[in-house]
Amino acid sequence: MKLYHYAKSRSTRVLWLLEELGVEYDAEMLPFDPRAFRLADHLEIESYGTLPMLLDDVYAGSESIAVVQYLLDRYADGKLLPGRDSDAYGPFLEWLQFGENKLMDPLTQLLQHSAFLPEVERDKKAAEQARRVFKHFARAVDTALEGKQYLVGEEFSAADIVVGYALFLAEDFGVFPQGLGNLSEYYARLRERPAFKLATTS
Ligand SMILES: N[C@@H](CCC(=O)N[C@@H](CS)C(=O)NCC(=O)O)C(=O)O
């Protein structure tokens, strides 16, 4: 199995999961340049030019949530997800999508308009709107964590990897939502994991 990765991109989720699972893989680290980078230039296979890109004998995966689900199905032997017939399975699937769609969408907008775009193209109003939306959804995570260590049940799961990556990115770019105690404690817990440390510094 081969993972194409660049630092801080969504392939961090995949790297984190592979490390948690202890699955063997090759990783190729690529340079990070969100404007100029095109994965297609680095690959001999068809790709969309985005990361992650995970290749095994039958699958070329480029959507981080699909790749996470695929790895859980094929390589996890029941680890890091609740049982399919348990009450926690629906919420687990919901958090996987939430981490990409509800957190990464506004966070990406916020980072575009505060860091990635050339200064003349940045729009302060768009940044503020994105910051508000990101905080709104971060607050929902904070509320869901009331009295809990992790998002689904009492066990760390792949949902925490998917959501935790968005929190990592927010922290790294200095836009971690303030004033949300459960969220801050939860993120501090995630940061202690050796697989988090490896994935976020590779
Ligand atoms: N929805 C996709 C998004 C993939 C994506 O946009 N990846 C970014 C890095 S985080 C990328 O490769 N951007 C490079 C570009 O668009 O040129 C996922 O969850 O994997």
Side-chain angles (χ1 to χ4, degrees):
M1 185 180 340
K2 179 151 186 176
L3 174 67
Y4 290 86
H5 170 67
Y6 62 68
K8 302 179 190 180
S9 79
R10 287 169 176 86
S11 51
T12 304
R13 284 175 171 148
V14 181
L15 198 50
W16 184 357
L17 178 60
L18 288 167
E19 285 292 319
E20 294 277 0
L21 291 174
V23 172
E24 281 192 25
Y25 63 92
D26 289 328
E28 184 164 332
M29 308 300 177
L30 298 166
F32 180 66
D33 180 346
R35 280 178 295 280
F37 176 77
R38 286 287 171 267
L39 183 63
D41 297 342
H42 298 259
L43 284 180
E44 283 164 17
I45 59 158
E46 277 301 310
S47 89
Y48 304 112
T50 61
L51 287 169
M53 172 56 73
L54 178 102
L55 305 175
D56 74 0
D57 47 340
V58 292
Y59 176 52
S62 72
E63 282 290 336
S64 62
I65 306 307
V67 171
V68 164
Q69 287 191 262
Y70 176 77
L71 290 174
L72 292 173
D73 281 345
R74 228 167 163 209
Y75 296 91
D77 201 18
K79 282 185 264 173
L80 299 187
L81 81 167
R84 281 190 176 70
D85 52 358
S86 76
D87 292 351
Y89 194 65
F92 170 76
L93 293 178
E94 182 84 9
W95 283 118
L96 291 185
Q97 296 299 327
F98 189 104
E100 178 60 16
N101 297 317
K102 293 204 173 64
L103 291 178
M104 286 302 291
D105 277 1
L107 182 56
T108 303
Q109 281 301 307
L110 174 54
L111 296 183
Q112 288 287 357
H113 288 287
S114 57
F116 292 162
L117 286 171
E119 257 177 67
V120 287
E121 291 174 33
R122 293 182 200 171
D123 178 337
K124 277 198 175 122
K125 278 193 183 156
E128 271 323 297
Q129 170 65 6
R131 191 187 299 275
R132 268 196 297 278
V133 176
F134 182 60
K135 178 131 192 198
H136 168 75
F137 289 122
R139 194 176 290 113
V141 181
D142 183 76
T143 303
L145 286 167
E146 186 63 43
K148 288 167 61 177
Q149 301 268 304
Y150 299 107
L151 286 170
V152 181
E154 280 308 305
E155 300 284 313
F156 174 81
S157 76
D160 300 302
I161 293 177
V162 167
V163 169
Y165 163 70
L167 299 178
F168 158 70
L169 205 60
E171 184 209 25
D172 198 70
F173 283 92
V175 297
F176 194 94
Q178 299 301 302
L180 303 174
N182 297 330
L183 191 79
S184 296
E185 285 171 25
Y186 167 71
Y187 181 59
R189 213 171 289 132
L190 298 181
R191 285 184 53 137
E192 290 305 307
R193 302 186 74 84
F196 170 97
K197 289 180 187 165
L198 187 139
T200 55
T201 52
S202 295

